[in-house]
Structures are given as structure tokens and as C-alpha cells.
Amino acid sequence: MSEAAGRLPPQRVGWGVFWMCVAMLLLVAMDAIAKHLAQLFPVPEVIWARFTFHLLFMAPLLARRLPLIARTRNPRMQILRGVMILLASGAMVSGLRYIPLAETNVLFAASPLIVTALSVPLLKERVGPRQWAGVIVGFLGVLLIVRPGIAAIHPAAAVVLLGAGFYAVSQIAARNLAHVDDPRTTVFYTALVCAVAMTAIVPFVWVTPRPVDWAVMAVAGFLSMTGHLAATKAFQMAPAATVSPFNYSGMVWATLFGFLGFGDLPDEWTVAGALVIVASSLYILRRQRARRKKE
């Protein structure tokens, strides 16, 4: 537990962990729905539905505070983050069309490793040799899953890894925005940028949904909104260093939903790679904590 967490009441920290686990449950459930929708509709339409309904459900919550929440001190960074989330979502949904939910989730979990690597050129942060060793070991875990040259692995895995890179850039943007904007402002602009961009694209690939499909799309948007709100609540209740490792609970939910919804179970290589990625990411987090204490 971090030093900051140690100064908080244990019950408050426990609620922070609880809300992060709930957030991952909701967001992975949304991914499972996206995988279903991606078999029926073009990827841009699936992404459009997610963020458009996200905004529609969010509107009543923001109605009175919208002028305040819509105010940002760094609109360019907000737009950049929205674009990165859009590209990451496109890669994720594209991957979900072809590879199992658990494998997609594990590959996407490489994003913290990419954040660490990119924090040097983009944030001018110092990464020590032990942290670099953790990054290298983590990417060896990715190679266990992808196994370059093995025909059994679908090329969509490379697309998901690219999406993890886009997501990592969005996280770095979020770090910068955290110093100038309210978290709700960032969530709002992310959904707004994605919805507006996809509204311009989706008419060219539109497939008219049935009433039941509209309902499923609405559920995906609702899960997206509530998942992000739960994650925001988690970070309000406890320090990021305490709750962030529980992002990996998403792997458990992805395995469960993948099996129940699509009959998929991760193979031994995916499980081994997941363990390596999680272990290396937690090691990097531990080294970051140790360095901050020294500073």
C-alpha cells in the first residue's frame, strides 16, 4: 500500500479498490457487447453507438454543470486524448471481431508498459534501469501471447497492440490534463470528440439496426458511462498507485464473459503471458513508489 493510502481510513481505501473492480466489470461487459455487435455492424458504427449513447446518458447528469465542466484550459490536449481513445477503441473493436475477449484484454493490458516507455520522451520523466528491465520482461510476456511467426495467432493481435499504444498516449495526455482540468471534463471531452468524429464517418458504412440492436447499443453506452464514472470514483476514494493494479481484475472478467458469451478460454500461452505482463507492471509500479519516497 502506498504512503498516501496509509494515511487514509482503511474503509475508504477499500471502497476505492471496490469501485475500480466494479469499473473493470462494467467496461469488460461493454467490450463483450462490442464483440457481439462487431459481428453484425461495421466497426465505426459500433464505436459511434458506444460514445453517442455514452453522451446521451451523461447529459442529464451534466445538465446543470455543463458550462463549468465544458470549460477546459487545454482544448488541444483534450482533443488529442479524444482522438487517441477513438483510435484505441477502433483497434480494440477490430481485434474483438477476430480474437477471443480474454486474449484481446491481455494484449491491451500492455499499455502501462508502453506508458512507462513513452514517459521518457513525452513527459521527460526518468526511468531507472530496473524499470526498463520490467518493461522488457513485460514485452516478453506479450511475445508469449503473440508468438511471432506462429500461424495460429490472428494478425488482429497486432492491431490490438497498436491500440494499446494509442491508449498509452491517451493516458499520458490524461496525466497532463489532471493538473489543469476536472476529471469529469476529460471524460466529457473524450466522449464528445469520439461521438462527433464517428457521426461524420458512420453514414458511409451505415447498417440499419433492428430495435433489439438499438437496445444493445444503448446498454453498451450505459456501461461505458457508468464504467468511467466508477473509475473516477475509485481515484477519488484512494490514491492512483493503490487502485491502479486492480485494473488487472479485467482479465478475470474477460475470461468469464468470453467463456459464457462465446465459449472461449485462453490457452496456456495467453495465461503465461498475462502473468508475466501483470508481474512486470506491478514491479514497475513498485519501483515508481520507491523512487517517489526517496524524492
Side-chain angles (χ1 to χ4, degrees), residues 164-229:
F166 290 133
Y167 185 70
V169 176
S170 79
Q171 292 298 93
I172 290 175
R175 285 187 186 181
N176 287 322
L177 289 167
H179 301 295
V180 296
D181 285 343
D182 187 288
R184 293 170 298 178
T185 300
T186 300
V187 172
F188 168 74
Y189 272 99
T190 297
L192 180 65
V193 169
C194 293
V196 170
M198 297 317 298
T199 298
I201 295 173
V202 78
F204 299 100
V205 296
W206 182 259
V207 175
T208 303
R210 301 167 298 171
V212 66
D213 297 324
W214 280 115
V216 173
M217 289 177 174
V219 171
F222 180 77
L223 291 172
S224 176
M225 182 201 70
T226 53
H228 282 95
L229 288 178

Side-chain angles (χ1 to χ4, degrees), residues 44-277:
E45 188 168 349
V46 176
I47 299 171
W48 170 84
R50 169 195 168 178
F51 287 108
T52 299
F53 280 107
H54 179 138
L55 272 180
L56 290 175
F57 283 117
M58 198 175 181
L61 300 178
L62 300 180
R64 295 182 179 179
R65 301 180 180 178
L66 185 58
L68 180 62
I69 291 176
R71 190 178 304 163
T72 174
R73 296 181 182 178
N74 197 336
R76 290 185 179 180
M77 187 66 69
Q78 290 287 5
I79 293 173
L80 172 64
R81 184 176 190 273
V83 171
M84 290 297 104
I85 289 291
L86 178 60
L87 294 173
S89 299
M92 183 72 164
V93 176
S94 297
L96 285 169
R97 295 186 73 175
Y98 302 105
I99 58 180
L101 181 63
E103 185 175 317
T104 305
N105 191 273
V106 170
L107 289 171
F108 216 75
S111 58
L113 304 174
I114 304 173
V115 168
T116 301
L118 292 180
S119 65
V120 176
L122 297 183
L123 294 177
K124 307 304 180 183
E125 293 182 354
R126 188 167 63 89
V127 175
R130 294 183 181 181
Q131 289 172 275
W132 279 118
V135 171
I136 293 170
V137 171
F139 281 110
L140 290 177
V142 172
L143 292 178
L144 281 177
I145 302 169
V146 178
R147 283 160 285 163
I150 304 297
I153 299 301
H154 199 282
V159 176
V160 176
L161 281 175
L162 182 62
F166 290 133
Y167 185 70
V169 176
S170 79
Q171 292 298 93
I172 290 175
R175 285 187 186 181
N176 287 322
L177 289 167
H179 301 295
V180 296
D181 285 343
D182 187 288
R184 293 170 298 178
T185 300
T186 300
V187 172
F188 168 74
Y189 272 99
T190 297
L192 180 65
V193 169
C194 293
V196 170
M198 297 317 298
T199 298
I201 295 173
V202 78
F204 299 100
V205 296
W206 182 259
V207 175
T208 303
R210 301 167 298 171
V212 66
D213 297 324
W214 280 115
V216 173
M217 289 177 174
V219 171
F222 180 77
L223 291 172
S224 176
M225 182 201 70
T226 53
H228 282 95
L229 288 178
T232 301
K233 185 71 173 177
F235 288 118
Q236 288 175 341
M237 298 295 290
T242 301
V243 299
S244 291
F246 291 90
N247 276 293
Y248 293 112
S249 64
M251 294 184 184
V252 178
W253 300 123
T255 301
L256 178 62
F257 288 134
F259 176 69
L260 295 178
F262 308 98
D264 295 326
L265 281 175
D267 61 19
E268 63 275 13
W269 291 102
T270 301
V271 173
L275 293 175
V276 172
I277 292 171

